[in-house]
Amino acid sequence: MGKTKDDGGGASRELAAVLRDHPGAIVAAVGDDGLFVPVPEGLDLGDDHHRTGLRSATDLVDGVDRAAVIEAWERARLGDDTTVDARLRDTDAAGTMHFIDARDELGVHLMVFAVDDGGGRVEVPESPPIPEGSRAKVVRSRKDGLAVLVDIDRNVSELLGWRVEDMVGVRSLDFIHPDDQEEAIAAWMDMLSGPGLTTRARLRHACADGSWLWLDISNRNLLDEAGHVECEMVDVGEEVAAQEALAASEQVLRRLTESMPVGVFHIDADERLQLANARLHEILGTLPGDDQATMLSTVRDEMAFDRALAAVLAGTDVDLELEIQVLGTLDLRRCTLALRALTVEGAVTGAVGVLTDVTESVRLREELERRATMDDLTGCFNRASVLEALEERLASGVDVAVVYVDVDDFKVVNDGHGHAAGDEVLQAVGARLRSAVREHDAVGRMGGDEFVAVCTGLGSEDGAAELAQRIASSLRDPVGFRHQRITVSASVGVAWVPGGERVDADTLVARADGAMYASKGIRGGGHTVG
């Protein structure tokens, strides 16, 4: 129906006309925000008409009709009396909903839902409960062309704590946080640039208690059409608080990762790099602008990394060691990598990795292991290590030969040339022994000027004797020291056992030692077999 009200009670007469035809109609008063408000005391509905406690007209109708009801209400807000056909919720009853503009007369709109029921009384559907402590989320207002508030709905008291009379007649900008006023002015000017234009800005609005509340504020230019700007303010405080909390958490995470002494990175489910801290670039020798392929090129075993990443993206955490070649250099670094899956509701969304440079600790460990097993002076195994190697070879079931070497007249070298010369001789003996045997054989210093070579796979006692002869021959050449040539000779003894023979290491060394002492009677670096 078209707008027919006048200033002499036209809305009441229109309502009375509808109720005469539909005495069982549902009646409610509607505020500017579209929500039901108490029926004004000056409006006498009698005893037969419903004063519904529902929240809005959309609560009355079936879901498929709600969009049409909203559209009718939007037209009614602009000053037209409107009707819309709809069905009563939870029933099969069809009817017509009337919106009557009674603002001049009663300060509200009237909603009358006349059901096609032959005039009988209609039960009103129950409204869903409103949670305790809930507050209005939306406030609607009107402003003039200078942004002065000329009207505002009652929800402002619930949302912002202001009374309507506190805000009407005041520029809306006066309620906006000083830091947001420039944005508010820009949005307002954009809105004024054309009829019907709507702009939106997220701003902090003053509350009556002195606090600030984040609102999404939309202004629609209806100055040419209705002589005002229509404004809607939506409470987004919880959303902004959540965003600020998330931003704060992200900052903590960024600051934490940048302060860590390890490389940290994040890869998404599509294996795209999303985050890499400065320490990671430092370890790899890359720059923050380098792409993922450049960073991965520093990994010596890319296949191992790819397998590990695939496993993590399938939901299995992985720890592995990697060798890194620092980009643009020949430097190698040993690193440990801990890869962990990221999941949301059971689905893997990516992975985080922690890369730790353990180069120095590995070097220290290897040095400690070397010192625990090697003789510092000669570079040969120490006594304990060479005997351990002998035990392992005897246990393996292969044939084993022990060659025992004693440097002849070593005291004379020390006394005649000094201990530095003696050290040079021992180093030369150790080096010549290692050269005379094969790579998998073990050469150790038993102490003082005595050495042992543990050799396998010689095949026979004759093969062991040939090895002993070769070792004895390698030790005959003089050793140079400070422009001097120091004559060296050694006594060599060898003991051999076939594979599988049960003999302990001490017994076999004792046999070789005995053969060595027997060879001391042979001048010129001979050898004997024990």
Side-chain angles (χ1 to χ4, degrees):
M1 66 178 62
K3 181 175 179 180
T4 59
K5 72 180 181 69
D6 54 43
D7 293 335
S12 297
R13 290 195 298 272
E14 188 172 350
L15 173 63
V18 175
L19 293 181
R20 278 196 303 271
D21 294 335
H22 302 279
I26 302 169
V27 181
V30 186
D32 285 343
D33 57 1
L35 301 178
F36 288 162
V37 296
V39 174
E41 293 182 2
L43 183 64
D44 184 12
L45 295 176
D47 297 329
D48 295 329
H49 303 297
H50 297 270
R51 301 187 180 193
T52 177
L54 298 177
R55 288 174 293 189
S56 70
T58 57
D59 287 344
L60 278 169
V61 300
D62 191 82
V64 296
D65 294 325
R66 287 174 182 167
V69 168
I70 292 172
E71 183 180 354
W73 163 245
E74 288 296 330
R75 294 198 308 272
R77 288 179 59 211
L78 297 177
D80 290 334
D81 292 343
T82 59
T83 62
V84 59
D85 293 333
R87 302 188 72 84
L88 188 66
R89 179 168 60 85
D90 300 332
T91 73
D92 292 328
T96 302
M97 183 175 290
H98 303 253
F99 287 106
I100 302 172
D101 187 355
R103 285 175 293 183
D104 291 343
E105 181 181 345
L106 301 171
V108 295
H109 281 82
L110 296 176
M111 186 283 306
V112 184
F113 192 11
V115 178
D116 300 332
D117 57 354
R121 186 178 179 87
V122 180
E123 292 298 325
V124 179
E126 292 186 4
S127 175
I130 300 175
E132 292 186 9
S134 63
R135 67 177 186 182
K137 293 291 185 180
V138 180
V139 173
R140 294 184 175 90
S141 64
R142 294 190 179 102
K143 308 173 188 177
D144 65 17
L146 298 177
V148 174
L149 290 158
V150 296
D151 186 24
I152 193 165
D153 70 39
R154 65 180 182 84
N155 284 346
V156 70
S157 297
E158 292 183 54
L159 185 62
L160 300 171
W162 298 105
R163 297 177 303 170
V164 171
E165 55 266 32
D166 293 332
M167 298 190 69
V168 171
V170 181
R171 285 192 319 161
S172 59
L173 188 65
D174 293 346
F175 294 97
I176 302 302
H177 193 285
D179 292 345
D180 299 337
Q181 289 188 3
E182 183 176 351
E183 182 179 355
I185 292 172
W188 178 264
M189 298 307 294
D190 287 344
M191 179 270 302
L192 290 178
S193 64
L197 290 180
T198 300
T199 59
R200 175 183 171 187
R202 181 161 290 188
L203 310 167
R204 283 165 287 185
H205 195 287
C207 298
D209 62 5
S211 63
W212 298 94
L213 181 64
W214 281 99
L215 302 176
D216 271 352
I217 301 179
S218 299
N219 288 303
R220 183 183 180 194
N221 184 352
L222 298 178
L223 291 169
D224 290 348
E225 179 182 347
H228 63 263
V229 172
E230 193 171 86
C231 175
E232 182 176 83
M233 299 187 292
V234 181
D235 178 5
V236 292
E238 292 181 0
E239 178 185 344
V240 171
Q243 292 173 346
E244 290 177 345
L246 178 61
S249 297
E250 290 176 345
Q251 182 185 28
V252 169
L253 178 61
R254 286 194 301 270
R255 298 293 292 172
L256 178 62
T257 56
E258 289 302 327
S259 66
M260 295 175 69
V262 294
V264 178
F265 61 92
H266 168 214
I267 292 177
D268 65 19
D270 295 322
E271 300 187 16
R272 293 174 299 195
L273 184 68
Q274 298 295 325
L275 176 147
N277 71 347
R279 177 56 179 155
L280 181 70
H281 290 293
E282 183 180 343
I283 294 172
L284 302 180
T286 54
L287 298 173
D290 289 337
D291 59 23
Q292 185 171 338
T294 300
M295 298 175 67
L296 187 59
S297 68
T298 63
V299 179
R300 301 269 287 186
D301 190 350
E302 289 189 27
M303 292 183 62
F305 176 82
D306 290 341
R307 288 193 299 269
L309 182 58
V312 171
L313 293 179
T316 302
D317 294 342
V318 176
D319 295 291
L320 71 159
E321 289 194 7
L322 294 173
E323 193 170 52
I324 300 295
Q325 182 167 351
V326 180
L327 191 66
T329 75
L330 297 178
D331 293 343
L332 296 178
R333 290 181 175 172
R334 297 280 292 278
C335 299
T336 60
L337 176 62
L339 280 172
R340 298 293 182 265
L342 296 175
T343 59
V344 175
E345 296 181 351
V348 177
T349 60
V352 291
V354 176
L355 187 71
T356 305
D357 184 356
V358 294
T359 305
E360 292 305 318
S361 61
V362 169
R363 287 175 181 169
L364 177 60
R365 184 182 69 226
E366 291 175 346
E367 177 62 18
L368 292 174
E369 291 174 351
R370 189 195 67 78
R371 291 186 180 186
T373 59
M374 307 303 288
D375 175 62
D376 286 338
L377 177 63
T378 64
C380 301
F381 286 108
N382 58 26
R383 178 186 179 90
S385 296
V386 76
L387 291 177
E388 182 179 352
L390 176 57
E391 292 279 10
E392 291 175 354
R393 285 158 174 76
L394 288 171
S396 69
V398 299
D399 64 280
V400 180
V402 173
V403 181
Y404 207 107
V405 177
D406 178 79
V407 179
D408 296 329
D409 301 322
F410 184 68
K411 185 176 185 303
V412 174
V413 175
N414 274 337
D415 291 345
H417 300 279
H419 288 284
D423 289 346
E424 189 77 20
V425 168
L426 293 176
Q427 290 170 352
V429 169
R432 292 175 184 181
L433 281 172
R434 293 195 299 274
S435 297
V437 301
R438 295 155 304 179
E439 186 177 356
H440 64 271
D441 295 331
V443 175
R445 183 184 178 195
M446 300 296 285
D449 57 357
E450 296 181 347
F451 295 81
V452 160
V454 176
C455 307
T456 59
L458 298 176
S460 65
E461 191 171 76
D462 290 341
E466 290 176 6
L467 172 63
Q469 180 58 51
R470 187 163 67 249
I471 289 174
S473 298
S474 71
L475 300 176
R476 290 173 184 162
D477 294 335
V479 175
F481 176 72
R482 295 178 184 175
H483 308 294
Q484 303 177 54
R485 293 178 64 80
I486 302 173
T487 301
V488 177
S489 66
S491 300
V492 179
V494 62
W496 177 86
V497 293
E501 183 173 318
R502 298 181 63 85
V503 61
D504 60 61
D506 290 338
T507 299
L508 195 57
V509 170
R511 283 171 52 187
D513 187 22
M516 179 274 294
Y517 273 103
S519 71
K520 283 188 175 294
I522 304 173
R523 307 308 294 173
H527 74 279
T528 61
V529 178

